[in-house]
Amino acid sequence: MELTLRERRSAILELLHHSGRVRVAELAARFGVSEVSIRSDLAELEEQGALSRVHGGAVSSYTSYYNMSLAQRSGSNREEKRQIAATVADMIRDNCSVMMNAGTTTLAVMEQLADKKGVTIITNSIVLALEAAKHPNLRVVLLGGNVNAEYQYVYGDAASQQLAAYYADYLVLSADGIDAENGVSTYYDEEAPLCSQMLTQARTVIAALDFTKIGRVALRAIAPIDRVEYLVTNACAPRDPIAELKERGVRVLLSEDGK
């Protein structure tokens, strides 16, 4: 059966995930399309930051957020994060409480929540709290503690003790990887314990991760996969890891432009 454009690009990302390199001629033969179509696919995926084109094909260009500045993280896959944020916001009702850890995807979700009524946000992200405070519809609780000045979040025992006083209807979790066997993980090991604690104090857990994080395993575990109820990611996410997550009971919502 012929694949749709979105399915073909997802399959290309899946091949890159496993092999690290793809070739135009081989992809054209595999999918039964012209090399011109494959080059168009690779150009679009390169624009999204998913790969780097080289002579005759493409290589994976995945760069861990651990090596990126906050400004670089904010600019990476901006449109894909907006799509995810819109889907997550549709899941959250008025007059509820939402925990959010530090991350550019959670920041995008907060912006989508600005028009909702009576929403309380509990966060360890300084940037997110300052931006949320600009919106009168949102009530903001910023945890205190040790400060990571580079990425603008708090962590440590003081933050954990303050977090213990709160329970939330939702946790919107940003991370650096999600994998069926290894669960949710992050490169920021000092923040990981606080994220794990948030999971125990929220009724509904929503992992909001763009397509580059699917099937990845980062430095520090946050939670096993059975603690995640929903994953919201992009429609172009690689299919095999998504299928494995569904088999483990994760409800996967795939966002795309306009949704």
Side-chain angles (χ1 to χ4, degrees), residues 10 19 53 57 65 69 77 97 103 119 129 144 167 177 186 196 201 208 213:
S10 177
S19 65
R53 285 184 293 171
Y65 273 17
S69 69
N77 302 322
S97 52
V119 172
Y167 290 90
T186 179
S196 298
Q201 294 175 215
K213 316 295 178 53

Side-chain angles (χ1 to χ4, degrees), residues 145-162:
N146 299 328
V147 175
N148 181 305
E150 183 176 6
Y151 295 108
Q152 296 291 293
Y153 64 78
V154 301
Y155 65 96
D157 290 344
S160 177
Q161 291 168 11
Q162 292 178 45

